[in-house]
Amino acid sequence: MSDDDFMYEDEEEYEFEYEEDDGEGGEEVGVENRYYNAKGLRDDFDAAIREFQTVVDDSTSLTEWGFKATKQILKLCLREGKFDEVLSYYEKMLDYVRQSIVARNYAEKSINNMLERVSLAATPEFIQRFHQMTLAVLKETKNDRQWLRTSLRLAKILLDQHEYQTLDTLLSELRCECEDESGAVILERGTQLLEIHAMYLAMYAAREEHKRLKDTYLQCIAIKSAIPHPRIMGFICECGGKLYMSECNWEKAKSNFFDAFKNYDEAGSPQRVQVLKYLVLASLLSESEVNPLSGPEAMSYVNDPAIVAITAMVAAFECRDVVRFELTLRQNTAHIQDDPFIARYIDDLRRTLRMQALESTVQPYTRIRIDSLAKRLEIAPADAEQLLVALILDKRLRAHIDQEQGIVTLEQDTAEHQQFEALNKWATNMESLLRSAIATIG
């Protein structure tokens, strides 16, 4: 073969390939033009549907454009409330996913987009059906990660609809996906397992199943392999705070609410303001001397109307001012007492403040009438007497009550009493030291 012949054949091959590419490009440009023309007709439902349908019909070899056109038809049908047609076209869209016609990332993004749109526009029953169709295809294509995320989305919908029986079944299935055959947590799925447990927490809280709530909370904090979204961790800590509040463990409640507030704040969740109120509530009940609103994390919220009301309540506590506290409650009902959780502990707050105020009021006296104390606190004499008894039993007040005369007499610290207290403390320390020594020697 001569050099001329070689060059001639090469030119023929190049020319033939060029013509073939040009034909494909022309066909693709034509489908693409029809697709964008159809998008321009979206205000005219019938015309847009017809044009998008021609794209689907003409894109047998360019199926990505068919996928895009089907997705646009779905959006139009959803906008018009034609839900039967939505399901029909969604099934066609999922066929593209089954056949791996489009890239997995693009398919996942498109599915998520449609799930979001349906969740905003359709009925609860339709939303469930839509999600179940999606889950079936994701299971079929072995897209475990997307299947898990879509299942969690469906779980949230079931939770909002109070369909607890169906939710319980779904969560059990999801939990099995995060554990191996021995029941141990699969390390790389610790984050998903924590989200599943958070769903359980929400369900048990709604159903007021205290024991299950506590067991699940303890399981949550035992998971160490997770890197959860701050919003999820905030919710778990909030549940923990409410759990400890129900057990009157104010210190642990305060710690959990503080962690919940930090996580919600990091996530930008509006729930942070609500939890900040709960943090203040727990701090007041624990009689902490540290004002939680003085920390740098909370300073940016002091001007929020809900927090302003709580700040006034904190100020009343700091001054041991019972009258001011009651006035604050009456003036800020919407931000304080209308919250069912806070309202549950108003009586505990009131009792705590009255005991603090009573303790401060009696300090300068050796003897004082109970009705006089009651008048200062604007409470009934019988209530004042009960608070005095509680202070005496808690050893916060050294006094005795003459019920017949209605007088409380405070015991003064004499030199002999102070000496006795010092000796008693020394003896207690020596006993502790001796036991420690015996335990060390064995």
Side-chain angles (χ1 to χ4, degrees):
M1 180 184 294
S2 68
D3 290 342
D4 289 339
D5 290 336
F6 179 81
M7 291 177 64
Y8 178 75
E9 286 190 1
D10 200 34
E11 285 175 1
E12 281 191 324
E13 282 185 13
Y14 179 79
E15 186 176 342
F16 174 77
E17 289 176 359
Y18 174 80
E19 288 176 352
E20 183 178 62
D21 289 343
D22 185 59
E24 286 185 1
E27 183 180 350
E28 183 172 355
V29 168
V31 173
E32 183 179 356
N33 286 340
R34 283 199 299 277
Y35 173 78
Y36 286 110
N37 287 337
K39 287 187 76 172
L41 297 170
R42 282 178 297 183
D43 290 339
D44 185 339
F45 175 79
D46 292 329
I49 291 291
R50 283 195 301 272
E51 193 67 19
F52 279 125
Q53 190 60 55
T54 62
V55 175
V56 175
D57 296 339
D58 293 349
S59 60
T60 52
S61 60
L62 302 169
T63 47
E64 186 172 344
W65 289 108
F67 177 81
K68 291 180 177 181
T70 304
K71 188 169 64 171
Q72 293 297 330
I73 294 172
L74 260 170
K75 293 177 182 178
L76 289 169
C77 291
L78 190 62
R79 186 188 72 187
E80 299 296 318
K82 298 178 180 295
F83 295 123
D84 289 338
E85 293 182 36
V86 168
L87 290 176
S88 175
Y89 280 104
Y90 189 55
E91 184 62 43
K92 293 177 182 178
M93 175 180 154
L94 292 175
D95 282 338
Y96 289 93
V97 179
R98 283 192 184 93
Q99 299 173 43
S100 301
I101 300 301
V102 292
R104 173 171 282 200
N105 288 341
Y106 179 55
E108 288 180 4
K109 183 179 178 182
S110 299
I111 288 172
N112 286 333
N113 180 270
M114 290 310 306
L115 291 173
E116 287 287 346
R117 286 175 176 270
V118 167
S119 297
L120 294 172
T123 62
E125 295 77 13
F126 184 86
I127 293 170
Q128 278 193 50
R129 188 174 173 187
F130 202 85
H131 278 74
Q132 287 161 354
M133 287 175 62
T134 307
L135 289 171
V137 171
L138 294 174
K139 197 77 170 177
E140 183 181 334
T141 56
K142 295 181 171 33
N143 190 340
D144 295 339
R145 181 178 62 85
Q146 183 70 1
W147 179 86
L148 197 58
R149 301 234 46 97
T150 305
S151 296
L152 286 168
R153 187 196 292 265
L154 177 58
K156 179 65 170 65
I157 292 167
L158 293 171
L159 178 66
D160 292 341
Q161 295 172 5
H162 310 296
E163 295 191 20
Y164 300 126
Q165 187 173 354
T166 308
L167 175 61
D168 201 0
T169 303
L170 177 59
L171 291 178
S172 297
E173 183 182 356
L174 288 172
R175 187 165 56 186
C176 290
E177 293 289 330
C178 298
E179 297 173 350
D180 59 24
E181 294 179 357
S182 65
V185 178
I186 300 173
L187 290 179
E188 58 268 24
R189 293 193 177 172
T191 301
Q192 287 82 5
L193 183 59
L194 202 60
E195 290 187 44
I196 293 164
H197 282 321
M199 290 285 183
Y200 272 118
L201 284 175
M203 181 174 69
Y204 294 147
R207 294 162 69 173
E208 297 183 354
E209 297 183 32
H210 182 82
K211 186 178 186 308
R212 287 186 171 184
L213 180 68
K214 185 169 185 177
D215 290 344
T216 304
Y217 168 74
L218 294 175
Q219 289 175 25
C220 285
I221 61 176
I223 297 173
K224 304 300 181 185
S225 60
I227 308 176
H229 191 281
R231 179 178 50 80
I232 299 296
M233 204 63 223
F235 175 74
I236 292 171
C237 292
E238 180 184 353
C239 285
K242 290 180 176 180
L243 175 69
Y244 286 120
M245 286 288 283
S246 68
E247 297 176 350
C248 298
N249 191 335
W250 315 126
E251 286 294 336
K252 282 193 173 182
K254 182 176 67 173
S255 175
N256 273 267
F257 283 139
F258 181 68
D259 289 340
F261 170 71
K262 287 195 300 182
N263 278 283
Y264 280 138
D265 194 35
E266 182 182 345
S269 170
Q271 185 65 10
R272 58 193 169 191
V273 174
Q274 197 72 7
V275 168
L276 183 57
K277 290 161 64 176
Y278 299 160
L279 172 59
V280 173
L281 175 67
S283 296
L284 294 178
L285 288 170
S286 68
E287 302 188 60
S288 172
E289 295 182 0
V290 179
N291 182 354
L293 296 174
S294 63
E297 300 90 351
M299 286 299 292
S300 56
Y301 302 100
V302 293
N303 293 323
D304 187 285
I307 301 304
V308 169
I310 293 294
T311 303
M313 194 167 69
V314 172
F317 258 79
E318 290 177 341
C319 299
R320 307 289 192 267
D321 192 335
V322 176
V323 176
R324 183 177 173 184
F325 173 77
E326 296 294 344
L327 180 62
T328 300
L329 289 181
R330 290 194 297 272
Q331 290 178 341
N332 298 280
T333 301
H335 294 302
I336 301 177
Q337 298 194 77
D338 282 356
D339 185 317
F341 181 74
I342 294 179
R344 192 182 309 168
Y345 296 97
I346 288 295
D347 287 340
D348 292 303
L349 272 179
R350 186 176 283 118
R351 176 181 171 81
T352 300
L353 177 57
R354 286 175 176 177
M355 288 180 70
Q356 290 179 354
L358 196 57
E359 187 178 10
S360 299
T361 302
V362 300
Q363 289 301 327
Y365 299 94
T366 55
R367 298 173 77 244
I368 185 171
R369 296 190 63 82
I370 294 175
D371 57 359
S372 176
L373 289 171
K375 186 176 181 180
R376 294 191 188 189
L377 270 63
E378 295 190 355
I379 60 176
D383 292 336
E385 185 176 327
Q386 287 182 359
L387 293 172
L388 286 166
V389 170
L391 286 169
I392 293 169
L393 292 176
D394 290 346
K395 296 184 179 180
R396 291 170 59 174
L397 199 64
R398 293 177 51 245
H400 62 269
I401 299 171
D402 184 342
Q403 288 183 312
E404 290 186 2
Q405 299 295 323
I407 293 174
V408 58
T409 302
L410 279 75
E411 298 176 11
Q412 300 301 310
D413 284 339
T414 62
E416 291 82 1
H417 182 269
Q418 291 176 359
Q419 192 174 34
F420 172 78
E421 287 290 333
L423 285 170
N424 186 49
K425 185 176 180 180
W426 176 81
T428 302
N429 290 337
M430 287 299 294
E431 182 181 3
S432 176
L433 183 62
L434 180 61
R435 288 184 178 180
S436 178
I438 292 173
T440 303
I441 295 170

